Amino acid sequence: MNLRSTIIIAVFCAAVFRVLPASAELFIFPALQNTTPGDPEQLLLSESRTVVIYGSADIEAFRPAIDGFQQSNPEIRVEYHQLQTLEMYHQTLAEREAGEPNADLVISSSMDLQMKLANDGYAFSHQSDQTRALPNWARWRNEAFAVTQEPAVMAYNRKYFRENNLEPPRTRNDFIRLLNDHDDLLSEKVTTYDIERSGVGFLFLARDERFFSGIWDFVRTLGQAKVKLYSNTSPMLEKIADGQLVLGYNLLGSYAETFSHRNPNLGVILPDDFIVVYSRIAIIPRGARNPELGGRFLDYILSIEGQSILQDEGNFNPVRPDVPPSPFSSLIFDRYGERVRSFPVGPGLLVYLDQAKRQRFLSRWQDALLNRR
């Protein structure tokens, strides 16, 4: 673990008077600039020069961006609260309703929930040279900003597939055929998101439904294979790499690509039929204690330097067109460009939050998993 950070699970953080959900993790990055321990004036200054971030990105993927920010802003302390996206949304609402300070920046992979916060008046407007450098699709009313572009991918255990003479699927129809033809080898060894607990998992499958007419046959096949469901990508990747599971669908490409560099047994597949690409959206909440610092951190991760660090260290594909692409980014947007299905930042995302439509979608998901017609 990086010695500059402290992990506190299920915390009450006295420094910011904030109660977090039980599954939250808090990572503290002290200011690089020296201060006098125990000095009341320095403690007060520390609180006023702390930027509080709520984020759904795994800390190991996001840590380099925090380190880069502090190199440019050595006097600023960073608190990074890693939360599930639904928890983050409800936490932001609860703090606002209670009159408590919000985080200074909220960065979530649930694009629909972030857009709802912005659309409902929970976000400050923020303009800068960095936000103006974004393409039009990546910002909405100077209140919601895409900071990454990330594909949904398939992943598989190379060793298991090789030993059993299996060909990894290249398309969704390939995936269905593979499960139908090799139930004896793949039953209880397949994984994907639990869309009832994962906001990004729900978005991925809803996007699939729009572009793949066989999506519910696909889900029925997953149910027949006794699919294992998780609320985030990391445990799925770990279990695929070590062989407990051997095939995953709709996993976050940024994490999968990074994980595959450390674990060569993990294979990553960009689907040949179409690739769903989503973005993490950042907003500065109206209840932020230090909105100026939230804006400063946002500007950093939208800068050429910040976008490059996110890409090079975390495989988060950049949003800015003037950032040189990595090989992974080039593969997605150059080779597969016509097959990319992205989510523009805007009110169109709110359709995924219509409660009646959402419940019908979830009911169909449950019926398909249980093979009820």
Side-chain angles (χ1 to χ4, degrees):
M1 184 193 309
N2 188 317
L3 293 178
R4 291 184 48 244
S5 65
T6 301
I7 305 175
I8 306 174
I9 302 177
V11 307
F12 174 82
C13 182
V16 292
F17 304 97
R18 177 178 288 111
V19 177
L20 293 174
S23 63
E25 293 179 286
L26 169 60
F27 300 84
I28 298 176
F29 295 79
L32 300 181
Q33 185 171 289
N34 290 332
T35 58
T36 304
D39 185 335
E41 291 186 7
Q42 290 293 344
L43 178 60
L44 185 62
L45 178 62
S46 173
E47 291 184 13
S48 68
R49 305 305 290 170
T50 294
V51 58
V52 178
I53 302 166
Y54 287 176
S56 57
D58 286 355
I59 186 61
E60 292 309 318
F62 201 68
R63 183 193 303 273
I66 295 174
D67 290 341
F69 171 79
Q70 288 192 304
Q71 290 296 325
S72 300
N73 300 270
E75 79 284 5
I76 297 178
R77 177 177 178 269
V78 177
E79 288 185 9
Y80 184 76
H81 300 256
Q82 185 177 315
L83 299 104
Q84 298 286 340
T85 56
L86 290 173
E87 292 176 336
M88 193 185 316
Y89 172 76
H90 290 301
Q91 182 76 11
T92 301
L93 291 180
E95 289 169 347
R96 181 72 168 163
E97 291 170 2
E100 299 173 356
N102 281 134
D104 303 313
L105 190 66
V106 177
I107 310 171
S108 174
S109 55
S110 283
M111 299 179 73
D112 49 355
L113 295 178
Q114 289 291 83
M115 270 308 307
K116 181 166 176 57
L117 288 174
N119 192 65
D120 290 352
Y122 284 86
F124 274 121
S125 177
H126 177 73
Q127 296 186 62
S128 67
D129 291 342
Q130 309 304 337
T131 62
R132 284 186 283 271
L134 294 176
N136 290 334
W137 69 263
R139 64 176 185 268
W140 180 75
R141 219 166 58 182
N142 296 311
E143 295 177 8
F145 307 93
V147 299
T148 66
Q149 296 187 83
E150 300 174 54
V153 302
M154 304 174 191
Y156 68 103
N157 182 290
R158 293 180 185 274
K159 180 180 178 183
Y160 189 85
F161 270 65
R162 184 174 59 251
E163 290 177 346
N164 289 280
N165 295 314
L166 298 175
E167 285 292 326
R170 304 303 312 182
T171 68
R172 289 158 179 82
N173 282 323
D174 287 348
F175 204 114
I176 293 173
R177 283 192 292 271
L178 182 67
L179 295 188
N180 284 334
D181 293 346
H182 298 284
D183 179 70
D184 56 327
L185 294 174
L186 297 174
S187 181
E188 299 189 69
K189 291 185 175 295
V190 183
T191 186
T192 192
Y193 277 112
D194 181 348
I195 70 167
E196 297 181 65
R197 295 191 296 148
S198 167
V200 70
F202 182 95
L203 281 180
F204 281 159
L205 198 71
R207 200 66 165 170
D208 281 343
E209 184 190 41
R210 179 174 175 183
F211 295 103
F212 180 44
S213 61
I215 188 59
W216 297 114
D217 287 334
F218 185 101
V219 176
R220 273 188 285 275
T221 305
L222 290 176
Q224 291 167 354
K226 299 178 182 178
V227 63
K228 305 299 184 183
L229 303 177
Y230 293 86
S231 61
N232 56 71
T233 293
S234 293
M236 291 191 275
L237 292 172
E238 291 168 1
K239 291 178 183 298
I240 293 171
D242 68 20
Q244 294 181 58
L245 301 170
V246 299
L247 183 62
Y249 179 71
N250 265 359
L251 281 64
L252 289 183
S254 53
Y255 293 169
E257 183 68 7
T258 300
F259 201 89
S260 70
H261 293 167
R262 303 193 304 267
N263 298 269
N265 198 36
L266 183 82
V268 179
I269 302 168
L270 289 165
D272 281 342
D273 42 2
F274 64 90
I275 302 172
V276 175
V277 173
Y278 87 108
S279 297
R280 295 176 192 274
I281 292 182
I283 66 167
I284 303 171
R286 284 194 175 274
R289 173 176 295 195
N290 288 312
E292 182 271 330
L293 293 184
R296 192 186 299 188
F297 193 94
L298 174 62
D299 285 345
Y300 177 77
I301 60 175
L302 291 180
S303 69
I304 290 178
E305 177 182 330
Q307 290 271 284
S308 297
I309 288 175
L310 286 172
Q311 176 177 239
D312 296 342
E313 303 294 333
N315 281 306
F316 298 115
N317 301 301
V319 178
R320 287 182 58 148
D322 53 351
V323 174
S326 68
F328 186 52
S329 183
S330 293
L331 179 64
I332 298 165
F333 298 102
D334 294 339
R335 178 177 172 183
Y336 291 91
E338 294 182 357
R339 284 170 276 179
V340 168
R341 304 291 183 264
S342 299
F343 295 88
V345 178
L349 289 163
L350 299 180
V351 69
Y352 300 108
L353 293 176
D354 180 286
Q355 289 306 303
K357 291 180 180 178
R358 189 180 185 89
Q359 191 52 54
R360 284 196 297 271
F361 193 87
L362 290 175
S363 294
R364 196 164 186 185
W365 156 263
Q366 294 162 355
D367 288 344
L369 281 180
L370 295 173
N371 287 285
R372 295 194 297 242
R373 296 283 176 173

